[in-house]
Amino acid sequence: MIKDTFNISDNNFEQCLKCTVCTVYCPVAAVKPEYPGPKQSGPDGERLRLKNPDFYDEALKYCLNCKRCEVACPHDVKIGDIIQAARIKYSKKKPGLREMMLANTDIMGQMATTFSPVVNLSLGLKPVKAVLDGVMKIDGHRTFPKYASQKFESWFKKTAQASQAQYKNRVSFFHGCYINYNYPQLGKDFVKAMTAVGYGVQLLEKEKCCGVALISNGLIDQAKKQAELNIHSIRRSVAEAGIPVVGASSTCVFTMRDEYPHLLGVDNADVRDGINLATRFLYSLVDSGKVRLAFRDDYKLHLAYHTACHMEKMGWAIYSISALRLIPGVKLTVLDSQCCGIAGTYGFKKENYPTSQAIGDSLFKKIEALAPDYVVTDCETCKWQIEMSTSVPVKHPISIIADALDVEKTIELNRR
Amino acid sequence: MKFDTIIIGGGLSGLACGIKLAESGKRCAIISTGQSALHFCSGSFDFLGYVNGFDVETPASTLEKVIPQGHPYALMGAKRAVEVAAVVPEFFARMGVKVNGSIERNHYRITPLGIMKPTWLSLDDFTVIADKNKLPWAKVSIQNIEGFLDFHTAFIADNFEKMGTTCTITAFNLPELKHLRTNPTEMRSANLAKTFENVDVVKRAAELINRNAGDAEAVVLPAVFGLFDDKAVQELKRAVKLPVCFVPVIPPSVPGIRTQIMMRRRFQELGGTYLLGDTVNDAVVADGVVKSVKTANLGDTVLEADNFVLATGSFFSHGLVAHPDKVVEPLFGVDVKADADRDNWYNSSLFEEQPYMSYGVIVDDSFRTATGGNTISNLYAAGAVLSSFNPIKEASGAGVSLITALHVADLIINKK
């Protein structure tokens, strides 16, 4: 209503009244003063850029796109969107080989899973790391996530697909690159949990990387192509077949729901509500009484939930937290919501490494002091960052639920 | 999802109400569109500072004599308002927020320009000043951080000298603080406070402050210490040899943000759900009862509760919206007190009482709202969204927020 009356732009740019609240919650500004902060980079800078594009400042590349400024804004100004849109529109810096490599998760993943033993070994070798660090400017402290020998899709088609027909309810699983190439176990856990409550899992007609890394590395045309392909597949599932699409990664889901229309201009209005997150989908089923879960008596763990930035932006941590609280043997500590510093490929770049670690520092200290059995988070890159920077292993909430589930009892409870 | 009470608005009023309810074992959710006005807080809380332009010395005994009909304090009765006010220091202490002051006698706070204003409670950081015309020191050393633009030392000195206190003005610097100055526009209070979270930086700053102080009796410093808790404040006061007199700076307010953080932490530790960056966009009201609400982020998830509290604030936070011809409460469209003729909204003399300042939601003596004169039996209102008080002319904003919120919580707790 307010927007219709007073605004001319979609990002609520005109609603900024310079209150400075966003600057408090920017994880970058406090540790990297070269970054002009969300207020200056966003609405303030936009005023100047609208006058003359030469006012564009390349320092906007230091923005993590965490969107915590937007969560803090009392007037719903899409500060993060303004900044990312400015990068897309005005930046003259062309993506290099490193950006191509980091952003093309599909091509890299396809190659790497094929030769996974060699790739995993060599990515861990000192000379390779030295080349990555020295030549490619990918920081030597980073460890690339290991590549799986068998893709999730291959496993699914070979092992699980045939048995899915027996379920009356269906979901289309957007597995994303991480599950497909690096960590198929999470996909298997998802299938285990869904089938236990009577939901069969299917793959999308076609799936490409959601494109988040392409967007942040400036490969916009390619991102747009992939977005269009994904939305086409999603439309086939959601609009034509009435089957919801569910993803496990908070960032993939966020990107497809919000970044596609806001940054890439790919319209998803007809299917946006049909793109869901695994924990939200499952918890909503439980909360509305449609399914029931039974858990093992012997499952006893202390877990610490970490709210990833895009999870905070979506406002959906409540679902993951509520789902974990269903497990009787779990003692759950909810960590204060803050950025871990990795922000996808951002933290892999050599020039960002110190910033990345400084941002996450207080989180790592809190985790170490708490010493839980696992940190739990819906984001895979948070997992890499926290595992690299603390001694605590990290799991996805769906994996926790799948482990804790008394499968036979759950199947029994949901049989009608 | 089902709660006992859902509070809309996550600022001082919403949090106080939620904490009080949660303390008595109620399951509560707070929904907040972005961060709150505590980010602009002076560090003090006013209850009743002025009557007809004159300073109030003894708010408790004055209130009964002067309170106009319809004023939020009058709705609950002056005696009850004072009774609630008397327990606020203890209420704050339970969440680790230490305040000084008493409802029996106002004290004075120093504004960012060095002027004295009457107030009820001040955070423990600040000096409680008894005499409006005299500071407790004959000579002070006013010290800024080099390059920090939001602390106006010359104004402060000017006003202090008028009260007979001699002032010297200096500035100190450290490599960590100089680093922040890389981007002078981003050298803000919150970023300084984040730097001072490191105890070592505070200790080295204290050494410089001690050296600069000369023969002063106290040092006057910008209130940029202690963002997440008051450790940095304590450390600084310990390490500086003279009494420290903090003066608030141009927002964002570090002590205010800390209060917000500590209140939110307390609420969540008591099991409360705090949804930040989310907005109520749909409500089901039937037969004079609010059944449920929905939010922008949670989509089709229905949020049900026995009681709802409107703590959405005034015009600034869109708790009230002014259209060209009317003032409305946008979420439920409840009855609002406002002049029908727009010409009567303003007084053309800026510093005179502005009628629109006392516009707001109309409630009965149980703080329940109404539509078309028909009471909504489970929708309460608290804080700045209420009508018939003028927070500026009365210096009563924080008091009305806190006292009505705690009163409403009691009404809900004692409801049959």
Side-chain angles (χ1 to χ4, degrees):
Chain A
M1 177 176 60
I2 292 158
K3 197 177 111 185
D4 293 345
T5 324
F6 302 113
N7 278 12
I8 49 168
S9 48
D10 292 332
N11 49 34
N12 267 3
F13 158 64
E14 294 85 355
Q15 291 289 318
C16 173
L17 44 77
K18 318 282 148 216
C19 78
T20 68
V21 163
C22 57
T23 64
V24 178
Y25 297 93
C26 176
V28 184
V31 296
K32 180 92 180 171
E34 290 83 352
Y35 176 58
K39 178 171 162 280
Q40 179 60 35
S41 304
D44 284 10
E46 189 69 6
R47 280 185 168 73
L48 300 173
R49 295 189 289 264
L50 285 171
K51 271 196 159 155
N52 183 347
D54 290 344
F55 282 113
Y56 176 76
D57 183 348
E58 288 290 349
L60 263 59
K61 71 177 177 198
Y62 295 122
C63 169
L64 295 168
N65 197 25
C66 70
K67 310 274 192 199
R68 285 182 185 268
C69 47
E70 292 186 6
V71 176
C73 177
H75 284 172
D76 200 24
V77 180
K78 306 282 187 246
I79 307 158
D81 286 355
I82 294 172
I83 296 167
Q84 292 308 313
R87 290 185 60 196
I88 291 170
K89 194 166 170 192
Y90 302 112
S91 177
K92 295 198 173 74
K93 214 173 154 282
K94 293 271 170 293
L97 177 61
R98 177 187 69 172
E99 281 71 25
M100 302 272 194
M101 251 185 80
L102 287 173
N104 274 291
T105 47
D106 272 327
I107 299 171
M108 295 303 290
Q110 190 63 44
M111 280 177 6
T113 40
T114 315
F115 307 102
S116 64
V118 185
V119 174
N120 287 337
L121 180 69
S122 55
L123 281 174
L125 290 175
K126 272 190 182 155
V128 177
K129 283 197 161 200
V131 171
L132 286 172
D133 186 289
V135 181
M136 299 285 293
K137 306 290 178 212
I138 292 173
D139 198 277
H141 295 88
R142 294 279 169 208
T143 308
F144 272 86
K146 292 251 184 300
Y147 286 100
S149 54
Q150 185 189 33
K151 288 190 296 179
F152 170 75
E153 277 193 8
S154 316
W155 170 84
F156 183 81
K157 284 176 185 160
K158 208 160 138 190
T159 318
Q161 192 157 269
S163 60
Q164 302 300 313
Q166 62 180 297
Y167 302 99
K168 200 175 73 203
N169 300 304
R170 278 296 171 89
V171 290
S172 297
F173 184 39
F174 184 94
H175 49 66
C177 308
Y178 174 64
I179 287 176
N180 203 25
Y181 303 117
N182 304 107
Y183 197 61
Q185 184 55 44
L186 175 52
K188 294 174 193 175
D189 291 340
F190 176 77
V191 175
K192 178 180 169 186
M194 292 317 298
T195 51
V197 297
Y199 276 71
V201 176
Q202 64 182 38
L203 301 177
L204 284 167
E205 195 177 84
K206 262 186 191 163
E207 172 183 330
K208 281 268 189 187
C209 165
C210 71
V212 66
L214 293 167
I215 298 171
S216 59
N217 285 289
L219 296 149
I220 301 304
D221 292 340
Q222 198 189 336
K224 207 178 274 185
K225 265 185 218 145
Q226 294 187 192
E228 275 158 1
L229 184 137
N230 284 333
I231 287 297
H232 177 77
S233 297
I234 290 169
R235 209 163 263 146
R236 291 293 293 264
S237 177
V238 174
E240 291 174 27
I243 298 170
V245 174
V246 178
S249 156
S250 46
T251 287
C252 298
V253 170
F254 168 70
T255 301
M256 295 191 293
R257 284 170 58 94
D258 292 344
E259 303 281 73
Y260 281 6
H262 296 163
L263 297 181
L264 300 177
V266 173
D267 183 22
N268 65 0
D270 56 330
V271 292
R272 181 175 179 268
D273 288 346
I275 307 171
N276 214 333
L277 185 74
T279 52
R280 180 174 189 256
F281 186 76
L282 184 60
Y283 184 75
S284 298
L285 288 176
V286 175
D287 190 48
S288 60
K290 287 186 187 126
V291 308
R292 293 169 71 190
L293 301 176
F295 294 101
R296 284 161 39 198
D297 297 333
D298 59 343
Y299 193 84
K300 292 207 179 343
L301 287 178
H302 178 202
L303 307 176
Y305 185 77
H306 163 70
T307 306
C309 294
H310 293 157
M311 200 68 181
E312 176 80 4
K313 169 61 187 163
M314 288 194 290
W316 287 0
I318 182 177
Y319 298 107
S320 296
I321 292 165
S322 302
L324 291 168
R325 286 202 171 128
L326 294 172
I327 308 170
V330 160
K331 181 191 161 202
L332 185 70
T333 305
V334 178
L335 298 162
D336 284 346
S337 178
Q338 68 177 100
C339 180
C340 74
I342 185 86
T345 58
Y346 182 98
F348 276 82
K349 297 173 185 172
K350 194 172 167 66
E351 69 273 23
N352 292 338
Y353 181 79
T355 308
S356 187
Q357 294 313 103
I359 290 170
D361 187 57
S362 60
L363 174 70
F364 309 146
K365 284 185 180 136
K366 272 182 226 159
I367 291 171
E368 289 293 1
L370 194 66
D373 295 308
Y374 293 101
V375 168
V376 184
T377 184
D378 290 82
C379 172
E380 61 274 12
T381 62
C382 294
K383 172 182 157 79
W384 307 338
Q385 172 77 333
I386 294 168
E387 287 187 337
M388 188 199 86
S389 312
T390 74
S391 58
V392 181
V394 181
K395 280 198 173 193
H396 191 282
I398 288 293
S399 294
I400 297 286
I401 290 166
D403 285 352
L405 217 52
D406 183 329
V407 176
E408 278 169 30
K409 220 167 153 188
T410 302
I411 292 171
E412 195 54 46
L413 281 173
N414 294 289
R415 189 169 285 153
R416 288 154 222 252
Chain B
M1 285 187 200
K2 179 99 176 67
F3 298 91
D4 293 324
T5 299
I6 291 175
I7 298 156
I8 308 165
L12 182 60
S13 199
L15 275 166
C17 188
I19 291 166
K20 175 91 189 180
L21 286 166
E23 281 178 342
S24 71
K26 303 281 184 195
R27 200 170 121 80
C28 300
I30 292 177
I31 304 161
S32 186
T33 312
Q35 293 286 0
S36 80
L38 274 168
H39 290 61
F40 319 110
C41 171
S42 62
S44 296
F45 304 93
D46 303 341
F47 177 85
L48 182 67
Y50 305 112
V51 171
N52 300 325
F54 292 99
D55 293 6
V56 171
E57 281 182 24
T58 53
S61 59
T62 306
L63 187 68
E64 215 152 334
K65 291 174 217 146
V66 301
I67 194 75
Q69 231 186 346
H71 192 287
Y73 291 152
L75 289 177
M76 68 175 82
K79 202 170 149 245
R80 167 71 182 158
V82 170
E83 220 174 79
V84 176
V87 301
V88 167
E90 207 182 294
F91 174 73
F92 270 140
R94 289 202 288 275
M95 57 199 93
V97 176
K98 257 179 86 183
V99 292
N100 299 309
S102 147
I103 194 64
E104 299 303 329
R105 183 164 290 278
N106 274 337
H107 62 270
Y108 284 89
R109 65 177 171 92
I110 302 168
T111 71
L113 297 183
I115 292 169
M116 307 287 245
K117 300 236 168 175
T119 192
W120 164 39
L121 299 173
S122 292
L123 293 174
D124 193 44
D125 310 33
F126 296 97
T127 313
V128 169
I129 296 167
D131 190 339
K132 184 182 187 174
N133 303 305
K134 203 167 165 36
L135 291 168
W137 315 285
K139 186 173 183 190
V140 295
S141 161
I142 304 174
Q143 299 195 25
N144 195 5
I145 295 147
E146 216 167 277
F148 180 47
L149 303 174
D150 291 340
F151 184 58
H152 301 153
T153 50
F155 284 130
I156 296 166
D158 224 30
N159 284 311
F160 280 16
E161 301 258 353
K162 280 181 198 158
M163 290 186 279
T165 295
T166 313
C167 302
T168 57
I169 300 174
T170 51
F172 62 92
N173 212 344
L174 287 168
E176 288 87 347
L177 303 170
K178 208 174 165 191
H179 177 62
L180 282 178
R181 242 190 121 190
T182 311
N183 204 325
T185 63
E186 294 310 300
M187 192 179 187
R188 293 177 195 277
S189 57
N191 287 339
L192 286 167
K194 285 176 191 168
T195 309
F196 286 125
E197 288 297 296
N198 182 344
V199 177
D200 177 56
V201 178
V202 176
K203 280 185 183 155
R204 282 186 286 125
E207 276 171 33
L208 297 174
I209 292 164
N210 285 332
R211 208 176 302 157
N212 285 344
D215 61 348
E217 292 169 24
V219 288
V220 176
L221 296 171
V224 295
F225 294 82
L227 191 62
F228 302 106
D229 52 42
D230 66 353
K231 277 196 200 101
V233 176
Q234 300 303 338
E235 185 54 44
L236 186 82
K237 285 189 174 175
R238 203 167 24 240
V240 172
K241 290 187 186 114
L242 296 170
V244 174
C245 169
F246 283 113
V247 170
V249 302
I250 303 299
S253 156
V254 171
I257 297 166
R258 185 205 315 147
T259 307
Q260 166 91 28
I261 289 172
M262 292 175 84
M263 289 183 85
R264 178 178 170 181
R265 197 177 288 153
R266 167 82 173 158
F267 176 66
Q268 288 176 315
E269 279 169 6
L270 290 165
T273 298
Y274 194 94
L275 301 171
L276 181 65
D278 202 358
T279 304
V280 171
N281 60 5
D282 190 23
V284 178
V285 187
D287 307 323
V289 177
V290 181
K291 304 282 185 198
S292 63
V293 295
K294 285 184 183 173
T295 73
N297 281 346
L298 303 190
D300 57 4
T301 301
V302 177
L303 302 174
E304 296 169 295
D306 298 329
N307 295 292
F308 293 80
V309 180
L310 198 58
T312 44
S314 184
F315 295 101
F316 173 76
S317 53
H318 296 167
L320 300 171
V321 174
H323 290 288
D325 56 341
K326 61 182 175 195
V327 173
V328 299
E329 183 288 303
L331 295 184
F332 297 90
V334 295
D335 296 345
V336 162
K337 183 194 140 190
D339 202 298
D341 184 353
R342 189 188 170 98
D343 288 344
N344 296 333
W345 291 5
Y346 315 98
N347 186 325
S348 57
S349 178
L350 180 68
F351 293 104
E352 287 306 309
E353 188 160 337
Q354 296 292 337
Y356 74 86
M357 289 293 296
S358 61
Y359 293 172
V361 164
I362 300 167
V363 290
D364 64 9
D365 55 10
S366 297
F367 286 82
R368 292 174 306 179
T369 60
T371 45
N374 301 316
T375 303
I376 305 177
S377 64
N378 69 341
L379 180 61
Y380 298 82
V385 75
L386 291 167
S387 61
S388 306
F389 75 106
N390 187 318
I392 305 285
K393 284 289 161 188
E394 300 167 1
S396 63
V400 167
S401 284
L402 278 165
I403 298 246
T404 58
L406 295 175
H407 182 65
V408 164
D410 275 336
L411 289 172
I412 292 172
I413 292 163
N414 298 323
K415 201 175 181 180
K416 274 185 286 208

